[in-house]
Amino acid sequence: QVQLVESGGGLVQTGGSLRLSCAASGRTFSQYIMGWFRQAPGKERAFLAAITASGHSTYYADPVKGRFTISRDNAKNTVDLQMNNLKPEDTTVYYCAATTRPWNDYAYDYWGQGTQVTVSS
């Protein structure tokens, strides 16, 4: 199993940047595909980005492609999401997640508690 804890959320102005970080416990972090999702109130959780266990491949949803960058450090058991050119519609709770299944199954087994991102206009 792996436990995930997100950090780095906060309030930022439109056009600003934030870097979210997700710290994972457990010695098998490097075996997991990691993803970032977000969920607005009353809406389904939306996939944002994923990174393979090795970190060699990354995948992005269209709304964030070119603005967000996912990265991981297997030595530190962390996965980050660099978010640039933030927009008010990016305001919501962000989650990191882990899976051993293909990233595009969107069937992640472990989830963090979430971190709030608010983008002011």
Side-chain angles (χ1 to χ4, degrees):
Q1 289 194 354
V2 61
Q3 293 183 327
L4 305 172
V5 179
E6 301 96 336
S7 61
L11 175 64
V12 64
Q13 291 185 333
T14 297
S17 298
L18 279 176
R19 189 176 185 90
L20 305 183
S21 187
C22 175
S25 64
R27 291 177 289 181
T28 59
F29 174 75
S30 61
Q31 298 176 10
Y32 288 92
I33 292 170
M34 299 300 297
W36 282 96
F37 294 74
R38 65 187 179 189
Q39 186 171 21
K43 294 188 176 181
E44 292 188 357
R45 195 166 291 183
F47 167 80
L48 300 175
I51 187 166
T52 54
S54 65
H56 290 160
S57 297
T58 57
Y59 308 91
Y60 297 93
D62 285 342
V64 304
K65 198 172 294 183
R67 297 192 298 129
F68 291 9
T69 302
I70 189 171
S71 61
R72 70 188 295 161
D73 186 335
N74 285 344
K76 296 182 179 179
N77 281 13
T78 58
V79 58
D80 290 351
L81 186 69
Q82 176 66 42
M83 306 187 296
N84 298 328
N85 190 22
L86 285 163
K87 307 173 182 179
E89 51 264 42
D90 294 319
T91 295
T92 190
V93 181
Y94 286 69
Y95 300 87
C96 69
T99 186
T100 55
R101 287 172 275 190
W103 70 271
N104 53 354
D105 276 3
Y106 306 116
Y108 286 69
D109 301 303
Y110 304 102
W111 294 84
Q113 83 290 348
T115 186
Q116 175 71 43
V117 171
T118 303
V119 184
S120 63
S121 57

